[in-house]
Amino acid sequence: MSDKNIFNIENLGAPTYRSPLQLSTVKGDHIFNFVSESDRLVFDLSMDYYNHCLNDGESPICMEQAGPRQDIFFDAKNATAAIVTCGGLCPGINNVIRGLVMALHYFYGVKKIVGIPYGYEGLNPEKGHELVELTPDKVKDIHQFGGTFLGSSRGGQDVSVMVDTLESNKIDMLFAIGGDGTLKGVNAIGEEISKRDAKISVVGIPKTIDNDIDLIDESFGFQTAFDVASPILRDAHNEATGAYNGISIIKLMGRDSGFIAASAALAMPVVNFVLVPEMNFSLEGENGFFAALEQRLLQKKHAVIVVAEGAGQQLFKERQIVTDASGNVQHEDIGVFLKEKISEYFKGKSPVTIKYIDPSYIVRCAPANSSDSVYCSRLAYHAVHGAMAGKTKFVASRVNNRYVYIPIAEVTKKRKKIDLEGEFWFSVLQSTGQPFFLG
């Protein structure tokens, strides 16, 4: 990160309107202050980085602080905003939709807000999806439900066609709620808008149940996901202990990153093995998974195994690479595979009773819990403040527990993964008691 400007946010132009928010510009008057464009937060808080900047006389890499600006770019009463949700479902999507509508309408007085149905398909007229008018009355209760009020889809559409739709509908702001593919898509929309010298702000709100968006603290819905998964693990443990050599295998979501599986195991510490995509484990041999599982059964007569959907893909010998509409690799079913291989391993050795549980789609369709509900609302508010100020091609997010704006291009460079040498994974190993070599 040698470029000091990597976190600079693009602007559509100079803000010429006064914000309708009645906030302060003076500290100490017990009213929230407008955020200044000069307000920055240091990205790397480590002492090593502090000393590096001190010794080399460098300014630290900083991020723009999120929040309302005193001067805004759009004439709020004549502005039109659009909201789209893309990709897989995740707890909290409806909370974000609601938060965006309420902030636009009540904070800034934006009169026209439309929902784009079924993801980016809704921006392609050939798909035949009509835009939906969104009002506070229409969205006031949607936070109580999982899924997405607007519908979703995977895969992109022609960028030029999507921008044509935005322009023909006189959209001034586009809020895209989604994960890596969605964010790359809305960034491409922003690039096309820039080529046309159009004045449309595009904003991303990071959504992925896997928590694999890089740089940010966490994506919304993640806490609800492992919260919902925790009692499932408890019940799976009860199932395992109810039989001699009982084994429960629970598959949770996590295509490339195992954060849900690992966090759920920490939250419900009855799990004995956690297998995640970041691991390159083997089944056979002295240090293989089977030997560790056999030792566990000898000692305790039961075992609970949590496996992320993307774990162990290296074990499939004749694997064919198939992708979904979003370009994500469709993984082989590691849960069913493990059940079959464990059964084969213990056949003729000792009797085992194996139960396989896959609650993935129940987990992702749950309504947001209280913690995620708070997070979703705050992300929505900050996204609106940034868009109204004329910022574009950014995500509203939380880094180092502070709300900031980061360029979409920076958070989509790579996926966030569990550091197998980090304290978080070490905590998982301590909780489960699984051998370090499996980590």
Side-chain angles (χ1 to χ4, degrees):
M1 292 189 180
S2 58
D3 184 353
K4 300 304 178 184
N5 298 316
I6 59 170
F7 291 144
N8 278 3
I9 307 299
E10 290 185 34
N11 290 277
L12 296 175
T16 57
Y17 296 93
R18 279 287 176 173
S19 171
L21 299 177
Q22 300 299 306
L23 302 180
S24 174
T25 57
V26 180
K27 300 286 186 183
D29 57 4
H30 307 293
I31 300 174
F32 187 80
N33 283 50
F34 283 111
V35 175
S36 167
E37 287 300 297
S38 62
D39 289 336
R40 295 288 192 271
L41 296 168
V42 176
F43 175 71
D44 187 340
L45 302 182
S46 69
M47 183 60 74
D48 283 346
Y49 184 63
Y50 171 80
N51 286 329
H52 166 76
C53 291
L54 195 65
N55 294 334
D56 291 5
E58 294 182 4
S59 297
I61 298 172
C62 294
M63 306 163 289
E64 285 195 25
Q65 183 175 333
R69 270 55 177 176
Q70 185 175 26
D71 296 312
I72 59 177
F73 181 80
F74 292 106
D75 178 10
K77 287 183 171 53
N78 295 310
T80 300
I83 303 170
V84 65
T85 63
C86 308
L89 300 181
C90 174
I93 297 174
N94 284 336
N95 300 66
V96 176
I97 296 171
R98 183 186 189 278
L100 291 170
V101 172
M102 296 304 186
L104 287 162
H105 181 90
Y106 288 113
F107 299 176
Y108 288 98
V110 174
K111 302 302 183 195
K112 188 172 182 182
I113 308 167
V114 297
I116 298 166
Y118 303 109
Y120 288 139
E121 281 189 7
L123 288 173
N124 183 351
E126 290 185 1
K127 298 294 182 179
H129 305 313
E130 296 293 328
L131 301 185
V132 180
E133 182 185 3
L134 298 178
T135 64
D137 192 56
K138 279 188 178 179
V139 303
K140 62 184 173 62
D141 295 321
I142 64 173
H143 62 291
Q144 301 181 54
F145 305 97
T148 167
F149 177 74
L150 294 174
S152 185
S153 67
R154 291 191 181 277
Q157 302 294 319
D158 184 275
V159 174
S160 292
V161 171
M162 291 193 287
V163 176
D164 287 344
T165 302
L166 293 175
E167 290 189 317
S168 64
N169 286 276
K170 296 180 170 54
I171 303 297
D172 298 296
M173 291 165 273
L174 173 64
F175 298 92
I177 306 167
D180 184 75
T182 303
L183 296 178
K184 288 178 179 176
V186 77
N187 201 56
I189 290 172
E191 294 289 348
E192 176 65 19
I193 289 169
S194 296
K195 289 178 185 176
R196 301 185 186 191
D197 197 27
K199 301 303 180 184
I200 305 172
S201 169
V202 297
V203 184
I205 295 111
K207 173 235 71 177
T208 163
I209 199 170
D210 293 349
N211 194 37
D212 60 357
I213 300 294
D214 197 32
L215 303 180
I216 69 175
D217 289 354
E218 66 182 37
S219 48
F220 76 81
F222 168 64
Q223 287 204 21
T224 301
F226 70 80
D227 189 16
V228 172
S230 294
I232 297 171
L233 302 190
R234 176 200 62 206
D235 296 343
H237 174 256
N238 294 338
E239 182 68 43
T241 57
Y244 177 77
N245 282 349
I247 300 171
S248 286
I249 303 170
I250 308 94
K251 185 178 78 172
L252 297 176
M253 285 188 160
R255 184 185 290 110
D256 300 298
S257 305
F259 288 104
I260 292 179
S263 297
L266 278 173
M268 184 57 64
V270 296
V271 178
N272 310 115
F273 298 95
V274 179
L275 307 176
V276 295
E278 292 85 349
M279 300 165 56
N280 189 22
F281 63 93
S282 59
L283 297 179
E284 308 284 351
E286 183 181 353
N287 292 330
F289 172 68
F290 288 155
L293 176 59
E294 187 172 12
Q295 186 62 31
R296 165 72 194 182
L297 293 179
L298 284 172
Q299 293 174 348
K300 299 294 184 179
K301 311 306 179 192
H302 73 276
V304 178
I305 304 163
V306 174
V307 57
E309 63 178 312
Q313 295 302 301
Q314 75 280 358
L315 302 174
F316 295 92
K317 303 303 181 185
E318 299 180 3
R319 184 183 175 208
Q320 292 185 333
I321 303 300
V322 179
T323 58
D324 62 18
S326 298
N328 300 308
V329 174
Q330 292 185 318
H331 292 315
E332 302 287 345
D333 195 326
I334 184 62
V336 172
F337 178 83
L338 277 179
K339 180 182 179 182
E340 293 174 350
K341 293 300 181 182
I342 290 171
S343 181
E344 290 175 10
Y345 178 80
F346 283 101
K347 189 174 182 179
K349 282 191 169 190
S350 57
V352 293
T353 301
I354 307 173
K355 303 296 183 184
Y356 174 53
I357 304 163
D358 181 0
S360 299
Y361 291 96
I362 295 173
V363 170
R364 79 175 194 169
C365 290
N369 65 13
S370 297
S371 177
D372 262 326
S373 294
V374 171
Y375 189 30
C376 289
S377 293
R378 296 180 75 181
L379 284 175
Y381 300 160
H382 286 300
V384 168
H385 294 318
M388 290 301 303
K391 299 180 184 300
T392 190
K393 290 187 282 186
F394 71 93
V395 294
S397 53
R398 192 173 64 196
V399 178
N400 300 326
N401 209 32
R402 300 288 298 275
Y403 287 88
V404 296
Y405 299 138
I406 300 181
I408 294 173
E410 291 302 317
V411 300
T412 55
K413 284 183 174 178
K414 62 185 179 71
R415 298 287 182 97
K416 180 168 67 175
K417 293 179 178 291
I418 295 175
D419 177 4
L420 297 183
E421 295 183 17
E423 187 275 333
F424 172 68
W425 183 247
F426 181 50
S427 295
V428 174
L429 298 181
Q430 291 176 103
S431 176
T432 60
Q434 75 185 53
F436 289 162
F437 58 76
L438 283 179

